[in-house]
Amino acid sequence: MKFSKATNYALHTMVYLANLSPEKSVGVKELATKQNVSPTYLSKVLTMLVKAGFIESVTGVNGGYKLAEPASSISFLDVIQAIEGKAAFFHCDPKNHSESQPHCLIGEVMNKAEQQMEDYLSKQTIGSIVVEIEKHQH
């Protein structure tokens, strides 16, 4: 299972912003430099995070991006779904069903695994990672 690079950048951006003081905003160039990605590409990711309501754009000389809500209320699953969407990872092909096997047993296994992963990711917040980072810095 693999998430897109956009999800990777989104999660790292969220943690980076959460690690700053709440009133500080960061420009796209700084965020892009920290992650070694083009500002143009990262801008698209940031737009998705703004649309989801997790970050906000600040205009002006000291403009940039900052969290729109507390990091402790934003789960990993929230961020992943903002980038990847909410569609299931696995879909059964109806052509593989038969009278002896009317439903997709493989799909049941895959969907259960996905649900367990989603349950876990929904409990992990951006704020909890920041707390772990702080523990390791002291």
Side-chain angles (χ1 to χ4, degrees):
M1 182 175 317
K2 187 174 182 183
F3 292 111
S4 67
K5 287 181 180 176
T7 294
N8 185 5
Y9 295 132
L11 288 166
H12 280 87
T13 295
M14 294 298 292
V15 170
Y16 184 77
L17 293 175
N19 218 7
L20 302 172
S21 63
E23 60 280 342
K24 183 169 171 31
S25 61
V26 181
V28 67
K29 284 184 182 174
E30 180 181 337
L31 290 168
T33 301
K34 292 276 181 203
Q35 297 185 63
N36 198 24
V37 62
S38 83
T40 306
Y41 182 79
L42 190 60
S43 290
K44 293 174 185 169
V45 173
L46 296 172
T47 298
M48 289 188 261
L49 293 173
V50 169
K51 281 183 183 170
F54 301 134
I55 64 173
E56 59 189 9
S57 178
V58 180
T59 56
V61 179
N62 296 318
Y65 294 89
K66 66 180 189 171
L67 291 186
E69 55 184 86
S72 59
S73 69
I74 305 168
S75 75
F76 271 55
L77 184 62
D78 293 333
V79 176
I80 292 166
Q81 288 181 336
I83 305 300
E84 303 285 344
K86 295 183 180 184
F89 291 138
F90 186 84
H91 298 283
C92 280
D93 185 346
K95 291 181 284 193
N96 293 338
H97 299 183
S98 66
E99 291 206 17
S100 63
Q101 190 178 347
H103 60 283
C104 182
L105 296 174
I106 294 169
E108 287 179 21
V109 171
M110 297 301 288
N111 292 335
K112 193 172 195 174
E114 183 176 350
Q115 186 60 55
Q116 288 177 356
M117 181 185 70
E118 286 183 1
D119 290 345
Y120 177 77
L121 291 171
S122 69
K123 293 176 183 141
Q124 306 308 310
T125 66
I126 300 299
S128 64
I129 294 300
V130 172
V131 169
E132 288 301 313
I133 290 169
E134 290 171 354
K135 281 183 191 175
H136 294 315
Q137 288 176 346
H138 296 291

